[in-house]
Every structure is written in C-alpha cells, then in structure tokens.
Amino acid sequence: MEAKFIAFEGGDASGKTTQAERVSQKLNAVFTREPGGTSVGESLRSILLDPKEPVALRAEALLMAASRAQLVQDVIQPTLAEGQHVVTDRFLASSLAYQGYASGLEIDQVLYLSLFATDNLTPDLTILIDLPVEESMKRRGNTPDRFEQENIDFHQRVRNGYLKMAETQSDTWIVIDGTKNQETVATNVDQAILSSLQLA
Ligand code: TMP
C-alpha cells in the first residue's frame, strides 16, 4: 500500500497534537510537527514562538516556509519514499490560516510560497480539529507563545480561514468537532481516516 501523508490542523489548544501523536503511533507512522521537526526547524520555531521576538509578518511567513522546506526534504519526502506513513502536527494550511486569513497576507502569495517550500507536496488528508475560539481560550496555559497572545478576533479569523479551506477542499479535508470528549474525538478521527484513506 502506498504511504500516506496526514496533516492535523486547528487553532491553538484544539487537542490536535494529542490526536496526531495517537494516530501516528497507531499507524506506525513517522510523527513530526511544524514549525520544527528538524534541527533547523526547531531553531526557527524558538524564534517564531518567542513573545519577545518582534518578527515582521513577511519574515514570519518566510521562516515558516523555510522550516517547512527543511522538513519536507529531510523527513517527509524520504519517509514517504521508503513506504512509511507520515503524520504531521500542522502543515501548509497553518500558514494560510495564520499568516494569510488571520494576519492579512495575500492568500495566493502564501500558498505559492508554501508550495515552493514543499516542492508541491500536499497532504493526502488534512484533519481539522475544530473548536470555538472561546473554548480554546479557556484551555490555554499560563505561558502563551507569540501566537497565543493574539486577541480573540485574530483567533476567530484563524478558525474561519480553516473552515473555509475545509469547505472548499472537502475531498481532502475532514472537520472533527473538538468540543467532544477525547475518546469521542479519537473515534471520529479514526473513522475519518478509515473512510478517506482505508487506514487505521
Ligand atoms: P503549536 O504547534 O504548538 O500549535 O504552535 C505553533 C504556532 O505557530 C501556532 O500558534 C500556529 C503558528 N503557525 C503559524 O502561524 N504558521 C505556520 O505555518 C505554522 C506551521 C504554525
């Protein structure tokens, strides 16, 4: 069977990391995350998430793309080529949601930049763990990163952007209700993967 590439997306504190890690263990897939997942990417992640680092918006988009390019070349592409599944906690839709829909960069430009970074690789399936913004704000920890510090309107735009992408790409996206308890979310995620990719 051909190796599959699955991306988990969602707002901050949506529970997507828990699901991505669980699914990757279940499928014996390689698990990774963005920004990060490589030595270069993790260095970029600490710059990008640092609340004290005033990264300019276009620099932010480029650094996200740089992390992604490194991850695709060093981890995702070789793993898929060897026939092993890859599960990632965030991928290019995060750039569209955060740098595009929420921060106001042109969507087409962010997409172009991301596809340049990935050499046109896109996930076989994107699972959006959707949560109302008020709920994700409640779940947040005491030390918010640079993105978590943004106001509620910003996070609402992130959510709206994700929902729009899910609607327009319904052949490769699945929306899971993140307000349900973890067990129900897990069951719904597994069913989605099974019916979309005949996996899990
Ligand atoms: P997280 O992986 O812990 O959710 O944190 C990563 C943060 O980085 C999150 O707030 C979303 C943000 N982000 C972007 O703004 N653009 C991107 O392309 C990616 C991958 C993440």
Side-chain angles (χ1 to χ4, degrees):
M1 189 206 319
E2 204 191 326
K4 299 293 185 192
F5 177 28
I6 303 171
F8 279 80
E9 295 281 358
D12 299 287
S14 60
K16 67 183 168 36
T17 305
T18 308
Q19 292 305 319
E21 284 175 343
R22 186 189 60 78
V23 164
S24 109
Q25 276 186 8
K26 191 166 175 179
L27 298 181
N28 193 22
V30 165
F31 172 77
T32 192
R33 70 167 179 180
E34 279 207 359
T38 63
S39 166
V40 167
E42 291 296 328
S43 299
L44 293 174
R45 181 183 176 92
S46 29
I47 297 169
L48 281 160
L49 268 54
D50 184 352
K52 296 189 292 299
E53 199 71 77
V55 185
L57 178 55
R58 282 166 193 272
E60 179 181 297
L62 287 161
L63 294 179
M64 291 292 180
S67 172
R68 185 161 304 134
Q70 192 77 32
L71 185 66
V72 168
Q73 185 194 286
D74 289 0
V75 179
I76 300 177
Q77 206 282 328
T79 304
L80 293 172
E82 279 170 13
Q84 195 174 1
H85 305 309
V86 175
V87 174
T88 184
D89 180 358
R90 298 193 181 280
F91 200 59
L92 63 88
S94 283
S95 286
L96 296 170
Y98 284 78
Q99 284 68 55
Y101 288 101
S103 295
L105 288 181
E106 187 81 37
I107 303 296
D108 286 350
Q109 290 187 345
V110 180
L111 180 61
Y112 181 84
L113 182 64
S114 251
L115 290 174
F116 171 77
T118 71
D119 198 12
N120 292 319
L121 180 75
T122 55
D124 296 299
L125 178 66
T126 298
I127 299 175
L128 172 61
I129 310 288
D130 179 53
L131 199 63
V133 172
E134 295 75 12
E135 179 62 30
S136 65
M137 294 241 162
K138 267 192 243 156
R139 293 186 186 183
R140 202 158 289 166
N142 295 330
T143 49
D145 64 33
R146 202 162 59 79
F147 294 95
E148 288 168 340
Q149 282 192 343
E150 293 284 353
N151 64 25
I152 192 157
D153 291 348
F154 176 92
H155 290 286
Q156 193 61 60
R157 291 196 295 276
V158 168
R159 184 184 186 210
N160 293 346
Y162 273 134
L163 289 172
K164 194 165 176 183
M165 287 187 264
E167 198 184 326
T168 52
Q169 300 168 73
S170 56
D171 50 334
T172 54
W173 279 61
I174 285 181
V175 184
I176 302 288
D177 181 353
T179 62
K180 301 269 192 285
N181 65 45
Q182 268 199 30
E183 240 170 60
T184 308
V185 171
T187 306
N188 293 344
V189 165
D190 288 349
Q191 272 171 4
I193 293 174
L194 187 61
S195 60
S196 311
L197 300 175
Q198 279 77 52
L199 295 177

